[in-house]
Amino acid sequence: MSKQASQIDQLVAAKYKYGFVTDIETEGLPPGLDESTVRAISAFKQEPEWLLEWRLAAFQHWLTLTPPNWAKLDILPIDFQAVSYYAAPIQDKDRPQSLDEVDPKLLETYEKLGVPLHERARLAGVAVDAVFDSVSVGTTFKKELAEVGVIFCSFSEAVQEHPELVRQYLGSVVPVSDNFFACLNSAVFSDGSFCYIPKGVRCPMELSTYFRINAAETGQFERTLIIAEEGSQVSYLEGCTAPMRDENQLHAAVVELIALKDSYIKYSTVQNWYPGDENGVGGIYNFVTKRADCREDGAKVSWTQVETGSALTWKYPSCVLRGDNTTGEFYSVALTNNYQQADTGTKMIHLGKNTRSKIITKGISAGHGQNTYRGLVHVGKNATAARNYSQCDSMLIGKTCGAHTFPYIEVKNPTAQVEHEATTSKIGEDQLFYCLQRGISEEDAISMIVDGFCKEVFRELPMEFAVEAKALLEISLEGAVG
Amino acid sequence: MSAILEIKDLYASVEGTEILKGLNLTLNTGEIHAIMGPNGAGKSTLGNVIAGRDGYTVTAGEVLFKGKDLLQLDTEERACEGVFLAFQYPVEIPGVNNTYFLRAALNAQRAYRGEAPMDAAAFLRLVREKLKILDLKDDLLKRAVNVGFSGGEKKRNEIFQMAVLEPTLAILDETDSGLDIDALRAVAAGVNALRDAGRAMLVITHYQRLLDYIVPDVVHVLADGKIVRSGGAELALQLEEKGYTWLQQEDQQVLESS
């Protein structure tokens, strides 16, 4: 057996040791990737011919690419032939039948997060529909949205129900050829979310993938497409506060946002994939391409992310500020503990006049974690009076972790104003001592200090998400000191 | 009158360097003792050892607090038992609200004593009352802990925390350094307001100036890791006038005459 394969085996084994994904027989595809895999996925999904062609073109292009190696990440070689690219929806009979069959560690996490019991069951993938009827929730939700013309459904459903919209916008922000992982995703994506906000509509509720976790169980290659028509507004919450069930270690998603004239998209993520164990064994390799196109004048996109999971994170939610007077924002908290690695940041591409961007990032490293901020601010030659403000703060907890900052600034218009500030602080022994000396326990002190450090980002999150994010940081940092 | 703090033949080192070398000190209830001495004598080390700061290793001797072996307790337990250190350099904690921090501290100490947490309204009343004593603005409550505070505000914030936490033993580590005369008076007023028969204070300072406002019962001179001279408040005045070299010269004379 090759070294590569054995390493993957180790990863997979570790994942199973973590245990809440039981040994399930799926009707999906065997490991391996060639043209027939792509055709099979498309056939499973009963996709139209044009989408199959699109996938195949992506696959042909992908064959010419090599994985990127510029990130400050120590990546085990990935054997793309060892991955299974499609798993049919899991049958109820194969799922854990009750909470008793679910890993107690996972349940403990939910409990700490304050997820209600019926939610815990659903998140863990337990077939207890009587307890929590996700279908009816979805329906109520959908009806209310339909009244104002908002479309919010799975990507597969959108392909069937709204092919003209999907065809018009798919790949228009992240082209097939964009990068290795986006290209792979384009060829083999299995599902994801689709969201369309019609002209002038302010979406009446936060849209969240939280309600669709079970439906999203299908795979690790999701695709999200959000279109905000002129004058519309939407706040979208993504991800889960639970370690998601995933058949494999590799996760490569693509998110495309299209913001038309004077629209506003707020996109919030709390990412807590399985980070691997305390020795750095296992965990998700998270390669995500997220990009927003402020395609018309006056559009605004705001990304907020709290990244605490994954063994490895490679993610740069970006904004193309194409229209005049467009605004892009990026608020990020990234935490790496144990042997986690994150290389994350953003790209703000100023093309239109009077475009504005703001970047606030907080990197926290503990244990042997390595945390890198990588960001690009590009001001094109026509972007008169563009302005950017970047602030990148890093916090180190302990002596064995690392923080790195790579800001790239390209300015081709002399009227641009670009500001960059960066700080690195150690969670000071002095800060800790100060708290302890006032009678506050070490655990409370750390969570207080870290929470304070992240405050600027947390306040951008919708209320209930902010609470979860805070709880998540506390859990992720448990045992980081002392 | 009973002893709050008894330090017996204390030896302590920092990163392998011995700083305290056989220190003896007893503080009784209701007393204020001043510790003076030249730079590097071990004044701040003494405060940090009592408070239980990491990196300060006690190699011999004992410290009893209300008769308990203080050295066996964790830092936060010592705080909860009633040991308070007003920092020479108060620490900034960005993003953490000053009021929130103080309430967390108070409630941690109350929990330790088996008392119910103080609710927000009662806490606010308490805090307002204490602010008045220190002539501090309300606005200080809304800011992050020590962030953007002037030197004087930081020191007053320390005394304000002390006023709220009401410790049994307060150690003031060069609280007067960097204070203008108005701030010095405000700080002294705060300290004097806490002067109480059930409490003891250890005031570490370089200068006699502070002791004009906070009149100590006993003044100790700390040099090379031990107390070399103790006396009444007048000792501080003599030191101010003649400097620490005076003591050394006197000692020299004593040595020579023997």
Side-chain angles (χ1 to χ4, degrees):
Chain A
M1 188 192 280
S2 74
K3 196 177 166 211
Q4 264 183 17
S6 76
Q7 278 165 333
I8 295 273
D9 281 355
Q10 276 173 16
L11 292 179
V12 171
K15 173 79 181 168
Y16 274 74
K17 192 175 80 188
Y18 189 68
F20 57 91
V21 176
T22 44
D23 203 2
I24 300 158
E25 264 185 70
T26 64
E27 297 161 13
L29 296 169
L33 178 58
D34 57 22
E35 197 179 298
S36 69
T37 320
V38 179
R39 285 183 183 280
I41 293 168
S42 192
F44 271 128
K45 315 229 82 152
Q46 300 175 314
E47 285 175 352
E49 189 62 24
W50 66 264
L51 190 50
L52 173 62
E53 292 303 322
W54 192 80
R55 285 177 181 276
L56 288 173
F59 179 69
Q60 286 308 321
H61 186 72
W62 182 74
L63 290 175
T64 69
L65 301 175
T66 47
N69 60 3
W70 42 262
K72 193 170 168 43
L73 297 170
D74 189 9
I75 309 174
L76 292 178
I78 300 162
D79 181 357
F80 291 94
Q81 297 303 329
V83 175
S84 166
Y85 290 84
Y86 188 80
I90 296 153
Q91 297 300 304
D92 278 357
K93 64 178 168 56
D94 296 325
R95 297 181 186 180
Q97 295 300 307
S98 77
L99 278 172
D100 301 339
E101 292 176 34
V102 176
D103 189 330
K105 220 169 167 181
L106 179 67
L107 295 176
E108 200 179 297
T109 307
Y110 290 155
E111 199 174 313
K112 284 179 189 166
L113 287 169
V115 178
L117 195 67
H118 59 271
E119 283 286 320
R120 286 181 219 165
R122 194 176 57 87
L123 287 171
V126 176
V128 281
D129 285 345
V131 176
F132 186 84
D133 189 351
S134 60
V135 176
S136 70
V137 168
T139 318
T140 335
F141 202 52
K142 261 188 185 153
K143 196 179 157 214
E144 214 175 314
L145 290 172
E147 278 168 14
V148 290
V150 171
I151 303 166
F152 180 43
C153 61
S154 74
F155 202 93
S156 308
E157 199 178 330
V159 168
Q160 302 300 331
E161 306 291 325
H162 311 281
E164 69 299 338
L165 283 173
V166 175
R167 197 170 183 178
Q168 184 183 351
Y169 291 105
L170 180 65
S172 72
V173 185
V174 180
V176 160
S177 58
D178 191 79
N179 68 68
F180 182 86
F181 293 104
C183 191
L184 175 63
N185 173 289
S186 302
V188 302
F189 73 87
S190 35
D191 212 330
S193 306
F194 177 84
C195 179
Y196 175 83
I197 318 295
K199 189 174 169 179
V201 169
R202 189 183 175 138
C203 189
M205 64 188 74
E206 314 254 358
L207 298 186
S208 169
T209 51
Y210 196 73
F211 289 97
R212 300 189 309 95
I213 279 172
N214 272 345
E217 257 169 22
T218 43
Q220 57 273 45
F221 299 94
E222 311 131 26
R223 187 114 198 161
T224 299
L225 180 58
I226 299 178
I227 303 140
E229 287 278 9
E230 182 178 339
S232 67
Q233 283 189 27
V234 63
S235 171
Y236 184 90
L237 317 180
E238 173 208 53
C240 53
T241 51
M244 271 172 92
R245 292 156 52 86
D246 213 314
E247 302 292 327
N248 202 276
Q249 297 299 119
L250 182 63
H251 174 251
V254 172
V255 174
E256 297 181 278
L257 310 183
I258 295 114
L260 299 176
K261 193 168 188 298
D262 297 325
S263 65
Y264 175 36
I265 303 175
K266 181 177 172 64
Y267 195 107
S268 312
T269 305
V270 173
Q271 184 264 114
N272 182 33
W273 298 93
Y274 179 49
D277 70 9
E278 55 276 18
N279 299 313
V281 178
I284 301 281
Y285 276 15
N286 191 29
F287 298 96
V288 178
T289 304
K290 289 183 166 178
R291 195 172 304 155
D293 189 354
C294 291
R295 199 162 280 182
E296 294 178 358
D297 295 354
K300 178 177 176 182
V301 168
S302 183
W303 296 102
T304 305
Q305 63 173 25
V306 176
E307 304 279 321
T308 59
S310 296
L312 189 149
T313 298
W314 180 98
K315 181 181 171 189
Y316 316 90
S318 304
C319 295
V320 181
L321 303 170
R322 199 180 301 278
D324 292 345
N325 303 304
T326 51
T327 305
E329 294 175 339
F330 177 69
Y331 300 94
S332 170
V333 167
L335 177 144
T336 53
N337 193 4
N338 298 321
Y339 284 87
Q340 283 177 275
Q341 308 174 67
D343 191 307
T344 183
T346 183
K347 287 185 274 185
M348 293 292 176
I349 314 290
H350 293 255
L351 300 176
K353 294 180 181 61
N354 297 312
T355 44
R356 304 260 181 284
S357 65
K358 185 173 171 187
I359 301 169
I360 306 281
T361 69
K362 307 283 177 180
I364 302 159
S365 318
H368 296 271
Q370 294 292 327
N371 210 322
T372 300
Y373 167 78
R374 187 182 302 277
L376 168 69
V377 176
H378 172 93
V379 179
K381 62 181 191 300
N382 298 324
T384 309
R387 277 168 63 179
N388 161 265
Y389 174 74
S390 304
Q391 186 191 328
C392 305
D393 299 324
S394 306
M395 177 178 272
L396 302 170
I397 303 176
K399 293 184 176 130
T400 49
C401 55
H404 319 275
T405 305
F406 299 102
Y408 303 84
I409 298 173
E410 299 170 0
V411 179
K412 294 182 177 157
N413 184 302
T415 62
Q417 280 184 42
V418 176
E419 285 177 72
H420 180 89
E421 288 180 25
T423 66
T424 301
S425 55
K426 227 166 149 338
I427 214 172
E429 278 158 20
D430 52 346
Q431 280 180 332
L432 259 183
F433 175 57
Y434 194 67
C435 295
L436 294 175
Q437 211 298 308
R438 296 303 182 248
I440 298 166
S441 71
E442 181 164 288
E443 205 175 76
D444 289 349
I446 290 169
S447 85
M448 187 187 274
I449 295 164
V450 169
D451 187 42
F453 178 71
C454 299
K455 190 159 256 176
E456 277 168 286
V457 174
F458 283 173
R459 69 173 168 227
E460 296 298 324
L461 286 171
M463 184 66 138
E464 65 278 19
F465 244 40
V467 173
E468 285 177 354
K470 198 181 152 189
L472 201 55
L473 276 193
E474 283 170 19
I475 292 172
S476 305
L477 273 174
E478 256 175 27
V481 171
Chain B
M1 200 160 64
S2 62
I4 282 185
L5 182 71
E6 290 172 89
I7 301 175
K8 295 175 189 167
D9 205 22
L10 184 68
Y11 286 78
S13 59
V14 181
E15 289 173 4
T17 307
E18 194 162 70
I19 309 282
L20 298 183
K21 303 167 184 174
L23 188 138
N24 289 286
L25 183 68
T26 300
L27 255 85
N28 294 313
T29 50
E31 290 181 348
I32 294 188
H33 289 210
I35 301 269
M36 302 183 75
N39 283 329
K43 300 193 299 294
S44 289
T45 299
L46 175 61
N48 285 319
V49 166
I50 296 171
R53 186 173 200 149
D54 254 9
Y56 290 75
T57 316
V58 173
T59 49
E62 63 176 342
V63 179
L64 299 178
F65 178 65
K66 297 184 288 189
K68 275 186 206 171
D69 184 356
L70 194 68
L71 301 177
Q72 290 304 313
L73 300 177
D74 288 338
T75 309
E76 65 270 32
E77 290 171 336
R78 297 183 197 192
C80 291
E81 284 284 342
V83 174
F84 181 91
L85 175 66
F87 282 54
Q88 182 178 2
Y89 304 107
V91 179
E92 299 185 5
I93 311 179
V96 176
N97 176 279
N98 208 22
T99 316
Y100 177 82
F101 174 78
L102 191 49
R103 191 166 156 229
L106 181 68
N107 282 334
Q109 297 198 10
R110 288 174 69 96
Y112 182 86
R113 297 193 295 258
E115 295 167 14
M118 190 179 270
D119 68 50
F123 181 73
L124 207 61
R125 275 197 299 279
L126 173 71
V127 151
R128 288 257 152 78
E129 180 193 317
K130 303 290 184 184
L131 275 179
K132 266 188 228 147
I133 306 170
L134 279 150
D135 192 25
L136 280 168
K137 292 189 208 98
D138 242 27
D139 136 83
L140 190 111
L141 297 175
K142 297 178 195 128
R143 285 149 64 180
V145 180
N146 293 320
V147 177
F149 285 29
S150 70
E153 282 174 327
K154 282 184 183 172
K155 295 299 180 73
R156 272 192 269 184
N157 193 34
E158 293 293 289
I159 305 304
F160 166 60
Q161 291 182 8
M162 176 173 103
V164 171
L165 297 173
E166 301 187 320
T168 312
L169 172 68
I171 304 160
L172 277 58
D173 190 3
E174 301 204 17
T175 299
D176 53 334
S177 65
L179 289 189
D180 61 32
I181 198 74
D182 291 335
L184 190 68
R185 282 196 182 122
V187 162
V191 172
N192 286 326
L194 284 168
R195 212 167 175 157
D196 170 309
R199 183 171 290 136
M201 297 195 205
L202 197 56
V203 179
I204 295 170
T205 182
H206 261 295
Y207 305 106
Q208 195 271 336
R209 191 176 68 150
L210 178 67
L211 306 180
D212 284 343
Y213 299 95
I214 304 171
V215 181
D217 300 295
V218 184
V219 174
H220 305 279
V221 178
L222 180 62
D224 195 28
K226 45 182 174 260
I227 305 285
V228 294
R229 182 77 59 100
S230 301
E234 72 287 348
L235 179 59
L237 286 166
Q238 286 175 303
L239 279 172
E240 180 83 353
E241 198 184 317
K242 302 182 183 171
Y244 294 114
T245 46
W246 158 67
L247 277 180
Q248 286 162 6
Q249 283 161 2
E250 268 203 349
D251 288 350
Q252 198 62 34
Q253 282 164 14
V254 171
L255 259 167
E256 281 164 11
S257 67
S258 67

